[in-house]
C-alpha cells in the first residue's frame, strides 16, 4: 500500500467479528487532509464499528491502521487522541454527574492549576459560541440536567477543542440526529469551516440531503464492506439509495382517501402545555397522526411525557382516553434496558399478553420479537442476544417494535427515527399509516420536516407553548420555521 502525501488515514483490509456476526469484511478506507468524507450505509452496515477501530476503542481482528504515514502496531484511544483523532459517537461519552466544564477538563488533562475549572469553562464555552451561537449552555450546568440536544452540542464542541494535542480528524457519527434543523445547520456550517481550515471530518448520517450537501467524498458501506467511493458530486439521492441496497424513495404521504375528517372519531387526547396562555389545546382523535414541530427543547418532549403520565394518574389540563406507549427520545438514558436481551426489550410493554399463568411465556415473547424482527428488519442473528449487540439504528427499531407490539391505542413518539436508515424509515412510515387506519393514534415529535408531512395535523411549539396549529393542507416548511422563530428567546 503506498501512502499519498495528503492521506491522514489509511485503513487496509480491516476485519472484525462479533461472535457469529461479521461486522467488517476487509474494509479499505482513505481519508485525506482537509476533506469531509461521508460514510453512509444501512443500519448494521459496519460504519460505527469501523470508526471505533479508527478511534482505537475496538481492536480489529485483522488489517492495517496507518495514520499520518505511520503504521500503528499498538493502537489505543490515547494514541488516537495523541495523533489528533477525535470522536463523537452515537452513544454520548460525557460523564452525567459532572458539569460541562468538568467534562472538558476530563478530556484535557493539560488544564491544570488552581483555576482549571475557569479555564476549562472558558475553553468549552468559546467553542460552543463558535459552533452553536445562542446555545444556552452554561459551563457549570450538570450534564444530566441537559436535554439530549444540548448534551450532543457539548460533545461536539468538546471534540473540536484543543490544548496540548492537535485536532486533525474529527469523526462525527450521526451528530445531527438529536438536533433540530436550525442547530444541525449551525453544526454543518461549522464543519465546512473546519474543513476549509485543514481539519478532516468523517461524517456519518442517514439524512442523505445533509450528506450530499456537505461532503467532498462519499463512501457507501454494505454488509461490512465498502462498495462505492466517489466525489460527492458524482452521487445523487437515488444513486445513494440504490448503492446502499434500498429501493428508490417513494412518496409515502397519505393520499386523500387516508385522511380522516377531523373530530369524526373518538377523542383520544386533549392536552394543554403548562406554559400555554389562551385556550389552545393539543387534540388527537382515534386514528390520527399528530405531529409536534419547532426547535428542540421547546416543550414537545415535556408534553409527551405529561400525556404518558396522564394515562395512569391525574394530570391537570390533560385528558387521555386510551392506553399509551412511548418511544423514548433518549435511547441510551430512557429507552433500552442494557442488561436485557433484544426479545426482553421488545416484550416489556406487552407483559399482559405474554403471560401464561403466573409466568411470562418465553415462547410467546420470542414469537413477538421474531415477528417484529422480520417486520422492521432488526438485523441480528439471534433475538436472545444482548440489546447492546445491535447497531444504534437497530436498537432504535427495537424500541419502536416495543411500542407497536404492545396493545396501546395511543403511541407517543419522541423523534423515534433517529439513526434509522432510509429504507427502513420508508417502511415504518407506511406501517404508521396502516396502524392509524386501524384506529391507533400517533403523537409524533420529529426534527425532520419530511416526517411532518406524513402527519394529519401539526402543532408547532415555541417556549413551551403551542404557537401554530396547522392542518396538513396548510403545512409548509416556511410556516414551521417562521412560527418556531418569531419572537423566540435566544436559547
Ligand atoms: N459489541 C457488539 N457485539 C455484537 N455485535 C456487534 C457489536 N457491535 C456491533 N455489532 C454488530 O456489528 C454489525 C455492524 O454494526 P455497526 O454498529 O458498525 O453498524 P452501523 O453501520 O454503524 O449501523 P447504524 O447505522 O445502525 O448505526 C451489526 O450487525 C451489529 O449488530
Amino acid at each position: 500500500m503506498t501512502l499519498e502525501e495528503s492521506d491522514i488515514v489509511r485503513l487496509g483490509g480491516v476485519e472484525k467479528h462479533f461472535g457469529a456476526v461479521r461486522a467488517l469484511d476487509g474494509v479499505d478506507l482513505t481519508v485525506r487532509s482537509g476533506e469531509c468524507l461521508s460514510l453512509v450505509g444501512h443500519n448494521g452496515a459496519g460504519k460505527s464499528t469501523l470508526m471505533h477501530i479508527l478511534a482505537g476503542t475496538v481492536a480489529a481482528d485483522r488489517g492495517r491502521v496507518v495514520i499520518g504515514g505511520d503504521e500503528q502496531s499498538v493502537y489505543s484511544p490515547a494514541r488516537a487522541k495523541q495523533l489528533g483523532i477525535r470522536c463523537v459517537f452515537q452513544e454520548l461519552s460525557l460523564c452525567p454527574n459532572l458539569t460541562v466544564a468538568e467534562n472538558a477538563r476530563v478530556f484535557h488533562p493539560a488544564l491544570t492549576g488552581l483555576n482549571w475549572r475557569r479555564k476549562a469553562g472558558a475553553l468549552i464555552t468559546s467553542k460552543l459560541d463558535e459552533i452553536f451561537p445562542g446555545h444556552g449552555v452554561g459551563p457549570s450546568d450538570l450534564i444530566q440536567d441537559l436535554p439530549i440536544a444540548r448534551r450532543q452540542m457539548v460533545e461536539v464542541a468538546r471534540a473540536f477543542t484543543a490544548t496540548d494535542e492537535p485536532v486533525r480528524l474529527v469523526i462525527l457519527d450521526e451528530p445531527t440526529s438529536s438536533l433540530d434543523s436550525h442547530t444541525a445547520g449551525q453544526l454543518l456550517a461549522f464543519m465546512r469551516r473546519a474543513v476549509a481550515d485543514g481539519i478532516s471530518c468523517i461524517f456519518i448520517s442517514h439524512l442523505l440531503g445533509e450528506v450530499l450537501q456537505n461532503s467532498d467524498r462519499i463512501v457507501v458501506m454494505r454488509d461490512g464492506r465498502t462498495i462505492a467511493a466517489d466525489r460527492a458530486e458524482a452521487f445523487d439521492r437515488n444513486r445513494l439509495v440504490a448503492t446502499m441496497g434500498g429501493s428508490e424513495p417513494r412518496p409515502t404521504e397519505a393520499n386523500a382517501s387516508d385522511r380522516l375528517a377531523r373530530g369524526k372519531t373518538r377523542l383520544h387526547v386533549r392536552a394543554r402545555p403548562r406554559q400555554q396562555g389562551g385556550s389552545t389545546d393539543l387534540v388527537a382523535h382515534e386514528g390520527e397522526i399528530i405531529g409536534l414541530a419547532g426547535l428542540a427543547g421547546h416543550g414537545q418532549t415535556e408534553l409527551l411525557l405529561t400525556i404518558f403520565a396522564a394515562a395512569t394518574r391525574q394530570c391537570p389540563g390533560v385528558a387521555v382516553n386510551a392506553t399509551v406507549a412511548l418511544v423514548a427520545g433518549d435511547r441510551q438514558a430512557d429507552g433500552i434496558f442494557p442488561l436485557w436481551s433484544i426479545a426482553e426489550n421488545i416484550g416489556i410493554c406487552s407483559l399482559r399478553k405474554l403471560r401464561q399463568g403466573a409466568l411470562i411465556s418465553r415462547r410467546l415473547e420470542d414469537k413477538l420479537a421474531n415477528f417484529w424482527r422480520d417486520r422492521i428488519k432488526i438485523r441480528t442473528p439471534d433475538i436472545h442476544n444482548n440489546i447492546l449487540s445491535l447497531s444504534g439504528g437497530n436498537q432504535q427499531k427495537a424500541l419502536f417494535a416495543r411500542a407497536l407490539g404492545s396493545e396501546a391505542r395511543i403511541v407517543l413518539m419522541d423523534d423515534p427515527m433517529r439513526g434509522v436508515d432510509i429504507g427502513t424509515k420508508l417502511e415504518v412510515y407506511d406501517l404508521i399509516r396502516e396502524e392509524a387506519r386501524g384506529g391507533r393514534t400517533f403523537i409524533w415529535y420529529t426534527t425532520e420536516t419530511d416526517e411532518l408531512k406524513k402527519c394529519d395535523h401539526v402543532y408547532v411549539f415555541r417556549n413551551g407553548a403551542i404557537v401554530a396549529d396547522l392542518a396538513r393542507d396548510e403545512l409548509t416548511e416556511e410556516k414551521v420555521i417562521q412560527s418556531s422563530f418569531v419572537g423566540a428567546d435566544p436559547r
Side-chain angles (χ1 to χ4, degrees), residues 76-138:
S76 66
R79 177 77 184 133
K81 187 160 170 272
Q82 223 176 35
L83 291 166
I85 296 179
R86 306 295 182 83
C87 324
V88 177
F89 286 120
Q90 286 175 41
E91 314 306 344
L92 301 184
S93 67
L94 300 169
C95 301
N97 57 337
L98 300 184
T99 65
V100 171
E102 287 161 352
N103 268 282
R105 166 64 180 75
V106 169
F107 197 63
H108 290 292
L111 296 173
T112 51
L114 283 178
N115 60 352
W116 64 264
R117 201 182 297 273
R118 198 181 50 75
K119 285 194 265 183
L123 181 74
I124 189 78
T125 303
S126 72
K127 197 51 83 179
L128 278 164
D129 291 344
E130 192 182 342
I131 307 176
F132 304 108
H135 50 81
V137 178

